[in-house]
Amino acid sequence: MSAQVRWVDGLKFVATSGSGHAVVMDGDGAANAPSPMEMVLMAAGSCSSVDVVSILQKAKQKVRTVEVKLDGQRAEGTPAVFTDIHMTFVIYGHDVSENHVERAVKLSADKYCSVSIMLGKSVNISHSYEIINEA
């Protein structure tokens, strides 16, 4: 896996993944794009969401969409690392089983999500979920 980050101007940078996808980041208070720390938070949510969706699909759950709301707390001072991250998964669908959702979130947290598991070595990561059963 590889990536490249190129300075644009001010504190704005363009990161390009080895697979050729680009994303803009802004180190100036996230005025023009997500900050690098916001990207870390979003990466954790994206990685976990991939797992949860995949596991629920394999369990043949009738899921319409999945959202994850992330709340990250950072240390005072420098470096302002994450100290706590809470992920709330909101699952929308029809007759979605709570047991399957609980299992999917736990498997992501404990076994599959590389980003969260890596961050969990130094950050307190917690999870919750809500199921919105649609008619």
Side-chain angles (χ1 to χ4, degrees):
M1 185 173 293
S2 65
Q4 174 181 317
V5 177
R6 182 178 45 84
W7 175 48
V8 177
D9 62 37
L11 291 178
K12 187 169 34 174
F13 298 82
V14 173
T16 305
S17 66
S19 58
H21 301 282
V23 64
V24 177
M25 292 181 285
D26 186 358
D28 191 20
N32 298 300
S35 73
M37 288 300 282
E38 287 174 320
M39 295 293 289
V40 170
L41 192 62
M42 292 187 292
S46 298
C47 180
S48 294
S49 293
V50 166
D51 298 333
V52 168
V53 167
S54 177
I55 293 165
L56 291 174
Q57 286 178 332
K58 287 176 185 170
K60 303 211 184 314
Q61 295 298 291
K62 297 174 189 166
V63 174
R64 182 180 60 81
T65 194
V66 174
E67 297 174 353
V68 61
K69 299 174 185 177
L70 297 122
D71 181 33
Q73 302 299 313
R74 295 177 68 184
E76 298 286 328
T78 304
V81 298
F82 284 114
T83 57
D84 298 272
I85 295 174
H86 183 76
M87 298 184 190
T88 303
F89 291 89
V90 183
I91 315 298
Y92 296 84
H94 181 68
D95 291 330
V96 177
S97 162
E98 184 171 351
N99 287 340
H100 282 293
V101 171
E102 183 176 3
R103 179 179 174 271
V105 170
K106 183 166 178 38
L107 280 171
S108 176
D110 296 344
K111 185 174 182 181
Y112 293 119
C113 179
S114 303
V115 177
S116 292
I117 291 168
M118 178 180 63
L119 288 173
K121 303 292 183 189
S122 61
V123 179
N124 177 39
I125 299 178
S126 57
H127 305 80
S128 62
Y129 59 86
E130 176 183 357
I131 300 168
I132 309 292
N133 270 308
E134 302 169 324

